[in-house]
Amino acid sequence: MKIDLTDTTAGEINKALVQGRRAIGTPAVGMVLTLVIVTDEENAYDALKAANDASREHPSRTLVVVKRVSRTPRDRTSSRLDAEVRVGADAGTGETVVLRLYGEVVGQADSVVLPLLLPDAPVVVWWPVNAPLDPAKDPLGALAQRRVTDTYAAEEPVRELTARAAAYTPGDTDLSWTRITPWRSMLAAALDQVTCKVQAVEVEGEEFNPSCELLAMWLADRLDVPVRLSPSAGPGLTAVRMDTTCGPITLDRADGSLATLSIEGQPARAVALKRRDTAELIAEELRRLDPDDTYASALRYGVDRLDTVPRQAAGEAPESSGSSGSSREGTPDAGASEGPAKAEAPAQGAAVAEPEPVEQAAKAPAKKAAARTAKKAPSRKATAK
């Protein structure tokens, strides 16, 4: 059931929610939390679909805050609030309210959301895109116990991670961290099977994917060993290699769904390690509402402490090991530009053969041929006899 409200207020939205619940025959509220999604019009559909799928595991009231852009000075001075109330099958297993803010009310989003929060229930705020640098100081983020961002959607993910570490507040988390939960579980299980000491680690993954940096920082923080970050073609994380005193341990996932775990002295085994969609990530984050100390420790380790290998440009020829070779590349030698190479001077004291005269050298082949003919021909005395 959908109820559209134009130029409305928070009180009218609450009345519409009660009316909708009575119309479908469920007047009681059986939701466990309030999920606030702050997004734009372009990404609102995908974010709402993921939240509806996650509501099957966590029944919640979902408030989608869409801040509309005012293109003229007249629109920026006017204020308006439009709402779309969804209950029943149109809202998953909870309730959904899509709030569209216009004009000056865009800067007062917390005043619009506050009357619509469920009483005595935790609040989670999620920014699918355009998250603030300090979510805890954001007016909407200050209302929540958990604040979820996604640095994968940022233009410069590595710089965004640095900003998140500087402004971290207990309760902050990121979907790029949630994406590596299966990897962390699998690597921890692999290390539980051996009694060796890890000496070095290499993490391989696609560029501009903050999950690779977060996994590398987690390994470096927990194992206290140097971690090397190498780029690959993806998708996502592709491999983790750990050098131990008992031999290498490798977790390799080339296709994004099935990985191979190799431990020295054991047969290689296939493990399921597929890439999860946003609905599964949000559902995992809603399972726990306490601060994630492990994420905080890994985030504060710092991206700049990792050993990063830059990707070589496609088609770029490898540089020569010596500087003299690179300076000669594509430039002819000085001697070659002067014509044929001159013969080197003989060493001092060495014997030098004098060249034969030209006429004598020309007559030599003829003399040899005449001598061979004379041997074959019979002599005059033999003919006379």
Side-chain angles (χ1 to χ4, degrees), residues 135 146-151 160-178 180 184 210 214-215 217-218 221-222 285 288 290-302:
R146 291 279 283 179
R147 294 163 293 274
V148 184
T149 57
D150 191 359
T151 53
E160 195 85 1
L161 283 178
T162 305
R164 293 279 179 269
Y168 175 80
T169 303
D172 293 351
T173 188
D174 198 275
L175 292 185
S176 296
W177 172 256
T178 316
I180 64 173
R184 294 190 292 123
L214 284 171
L215 182 60
M217 289 189 292
W218 174 72
D221 179 57
R222 289 296 167 181
E285 284 300 330
R288 55 176 301 173
D290 57 323
D292 193 343
D293 297 332
T294 306
Y295 166 70
S297 179
L299 187 64
R300 288 169 175 165
Y301 181 84

Side-chain angles (χ1 to χ4, degrees), residues 17 48 52 62 64 84-87 90-91 94-98:
L17 286 170
L48 185 56
N52 288 340
T62 304
V64 184
E84 180 182 341
V85 179
R86 304 179 184 180
V87 293
D90 295 322
E95 300 172 343
T96 300
V97 180
V98 182

Side-chain angles (χ1 to χ4, degrees), residues 347-361:
Q348 188 175 0
V352 180
E354 296 182 0
E356 296 180 356
V358 177
E359 296 180 359
Q360 185 176 358

